Amino acid sequence: MGLSLKIAFVIHKLAGRSGGAERILVGTANEMARRGHQVWILHHENRGIGPFYECDKQVTVRNLFKRPLEKVAKERWERRERLRERLPHFFPFTRIQWEMSHGGFVRKLREFIDNEAPDALIPFLPSAITPCAIAARRRNVRVVASTHNEPRQDYENRKRWDKNPIDVRLRTEVLKEIDRILVLLPEYRNWYPAALQPKIGILANPIRPSDKEALASAKREKLIVAVGRLSEVKRFDLLIETWLDLHSRYPDWKVEIYGDGPDRDSLESMIRTYGLSDRVTLKGVTKEIDAQYLRASLMCHPSQYEGFPLAVCEALAHGVPVVGFDDCSGLNALVKHGENGILADGSKPKNIALLESLDSLLSDEALRNSLSSEAPRSVSQYAPEIIYDRWEEVIEDVIACGEDDY
């Protein structure tokens, strides 16, 4: 098409958030702006801070939520939120609760569409996909849904997203109204019903390759890194428990865990209780993670499930072999056992399987070096120029096509 398009990337919560989906959204929006498109990033949340990741000056970041700044308005909002949380979990209260949680987002999106006339909305994650699909009804705007997890986790796992049964139902119902549904890996498209298959597109995350000179001159330390949100699904507690059994065998090795989240206090308590404070460190969030990858000899990523784990791909791009589980979705599509990492046997007790896998690498420097050499090549197909070209092609194609073409 080659025309300047009006593209609105949409995510529910962005303020101060350092997650993978937020990073991909900001990076993609920045690149589309550099390519000459008019780009917005829209979010809707009662927080008055900006994005964690730096946005290009040509990208317009807009919080659609009208924040209650005065004390009286804040108190009124807090009372409203307490009421919403106390509402019974059955109809019609679930409808009222859904409107209180999502209705304002939908209304503000409709106002934006009517005022700015974007060519496409690009919602990231179900919490934005559903409101965008509803807001776009009977309006001349295309919707390209960007999913960032294994579909079963987004649509079947009741612990994720809004547990309101109305929202659970709407998440799948609105998919038929969306123009294109982007999934991260080919195997994820199989979850969707036959009627939606023509709308499914495969679009992985961009992974920036490591600088060749930096990679060649990297000074690898006896260091294991782990990177991700400190939450139950990442299972960093399993890594700490395993290191309790391994640290005496490898006294020169250390573990550094990068990230933040709700489990920070409990993980810190584990480290102190096990007497590992000089061996295992919670390092918090850093914008200099590339430098840490170039120090590391190994990554441990014991997550329960993933969509397309950015930390894993970035570690591989920096020549860091990865240890994870063979039953972890996303990771098991990227880490090839004996080629760029080691996949622990998920059918065994998790602590035993992880211990065996870590031990096999820590005790074998030649194997680590072999896996390290192969790691960057294993993610080369996700180079940013390849992925961003594909993004632009998808957006242009969806805008050029009518809904009847699917």
Side-chain angles (χ1 to χ4, degrees):
M1 183 178 282
L3 300 176
S4 176
L5 303 174
K6 300 171 72 174
I7 306 168
F9 291 86
V10 186
I11 192 166
H12 185 200
K13 295 181 178 181
L14 179 69
R17 292 179 177 263
S18 59
E22 291 83 2
R23 179 142 56 102
I24 296 302
L25 179 143
V26 170
T28 307
N30 287 347
E31 181 62 23
M32 293 304 108
R34 293 185 193 112
R35 295 184 178 208
H37 303 294
Q38 184 177 355
V39 176
W40 294 266
I41 295 177
L42 309 177
H43 59 121
H44 186 263
E45 57 189 311
N46 188 14
R47 297 185 74 190
I49 60 177
F52 178 84
Y53 300 106
E54 185 176 355
C55 296
D56 189 279
K57 62 183 180 180
Q58 297 191 57
V59 174
T60 302
V61 181
R62 186 180 300 178
N63 186 353
L64 299 179
F65 190 96
K66 184 178 180 180
R67 298 186 64 247
L69 298 177
E70 297 179 2
K71 181 179 179 182
V72 173
K74 284 183 178 179
E75 291 174 350
R76 188 183 305 124
W77 173 259
E78 289 170 358
R79 289 197 300 271
R80 175 190 184 276
E81 288 298 279
R82 289 194 294 270
L83 171 63
R84 180 182 62 81
E85 291 172 358
R86 290 198 301 266
L87 286 173
H89 224 50
F90 54 83
F91 190 83
F93 298 104
T94 48
R95 169 55 66 181
I96 296 170
Q97 193 176 56
W98 192 91
E99 287 293 335
M100 292 177 72
S101 298
H102 307 284
F105 195 7
V106 172
R107 288 190 291 274
K108 289 297 183 180
L109 283 168
R110 285 176 179 151
E111 290 179 14
F112 174 83
I113 295 168
D114 292 342
N115 292 334
E116 303 291 352
D119 296 302
L121 299 179
I122 317 281
F124 273 50
L125 309 174
S127 54
I129 292 171
T130 301
C132 280
I134 295 172
R137 288 171 179 168
R138 296 178 295 280
R139 284 168 168 80
N140 187 28
V141 59
R142 302 295 180 209
V143 179
V144 179
S146 181
T147 66
H148 286 264
N149 213 324
E150 180 189 10
R152 287 188 303 114
Q153 300 302 330
D154 277 341
Y155 301 111
E156 298 178 23
N157 186 346
R158 294 301 180 94
K159 294 182 179 181
R160 292 180 59 80
W161 311 117
D162 190 339
K163 300 176 181 64
N164 187 321
I166 292 178
D167 197 69
V168 173
R169 172 176 56 81
L170 285 173
R171 284 204 293 272
T172 54
E173 283 187 1
V174 300
L175 293 177
K176 64 179 180 293
E177 304 177 47
I178 290 169
D179 298 283
R180 191 70 58 87
I181 303 166
L182 302 179
V183 298
L184 293 166
L185 294 167
E187 49 265 43
Y188 292 164
R189 73 180 304 159
N190 298 331
W191 181 89
Y192 293 87
L196 293 178
Q197 286 296 316
K199 296 185 177 187
I200 307 297
I202 314 298
L203 189 49
N205 290 331
I207 304 300
R208 182 169 52 84
S210 177
D211 179 79
K212 291 183 179 180
E213 291 185 7
L215 195 59
S217 61
K219 306 295 184 183
R220 302 293 180 183
E221 303 173 19
K222 291 184 177 180
L223 172 66
I224 299 171
V225 294
V227 181
R229 180 170 166 76
L230 305 185
S231 61
E232 181 182 1
V233 69
K234 300 300 184 182
R235 297 196 296 205
F236 292 134
D237 56 333
L238 180 60
L239 170 58
I240 296 169
E241 289 174 1
T242 303
W243 199 244
L244 178 63
D245 295 325
L246 282 173
H247 79 278
S248 60
R249 299 187 213 174
Y250 302 100
D252 296 334
W253 284 77
K254 293 187 177 182
V255 176
E256 293 181 354
I257 302 174
Y258 290 85
D260 206 350
D263 286 1
R264 183 180 185 91
D265 289 345
S266 62
L267 294 175
E268 285 182 336
S269 177
M270 283 183 65
I271 293 168
R272 290 193 301 269
T273 300
Y274 291 160
L276 294 174
S277 297
D278 61 336
R279 305 292 181 85
V280 181
T281 310
L282 301 184
K283 304 293 286 187
V285 175
T286 177
K287 292 187 177 182
E288 306 297 330
I289 194 62
D290 288 2
Q292 313 315 320
Y293 289 138
L294 291 172
R295 294 172 51 226
S297 293
L298 182 63
M299 166 179 269
C300 183
H301 197 83
S303 188
Q304 181 181 356
Y305 60 83
E306 292 285 353
F308 186 99
L310 276 178
V312 168
C313 290
E314 290 171 344
L316 293 171
H318 286 80
V320 184
V322 176
V323 173
F325 284 95
D326 62 5
D327 58 357
C328 176
S329 61
L331 180 140
N332 56 19
L334 298 163
V335 177
K336 303 303 180 184
H337 186 77
E339 296 181 18
N340 60 359
I342 296 293
L343 291 175
D345 186 349
S347 66
K348 290 183 176 182
K350 292 296 188 287
N351 59 331
I352 294 175
L354 187 61
L355 185 150
E356 292 174 347
S357 296
L358 285 171
D359 192 28
S360 69
L361 272 181
L362 293 173
S363 63
D364 192 338
E365 184 178 4
L367 177 58
R368 292 199 307 272
N369 291 338
S370 173
L371 300 179
S372 176
S373 295
E374 177 58 29
R377 287 192 293 271
S378 70
V379 292
S380 60
Q381 69 269 36
Y382 307 122
E385 60 270 18
I386 297 173
I387 301 302
Y388 289 139
D389 282 350
R390 176 65 180 143
W391 261 109
E392 195 169 36
E393 289 170 5
V394 168
I395 297 169
E396 290 180 347
D397 180 59
V398 167
I399 292 171
C401 292
E403 212 171 89
D404 294 338
D405 294 322
Y406 289 107

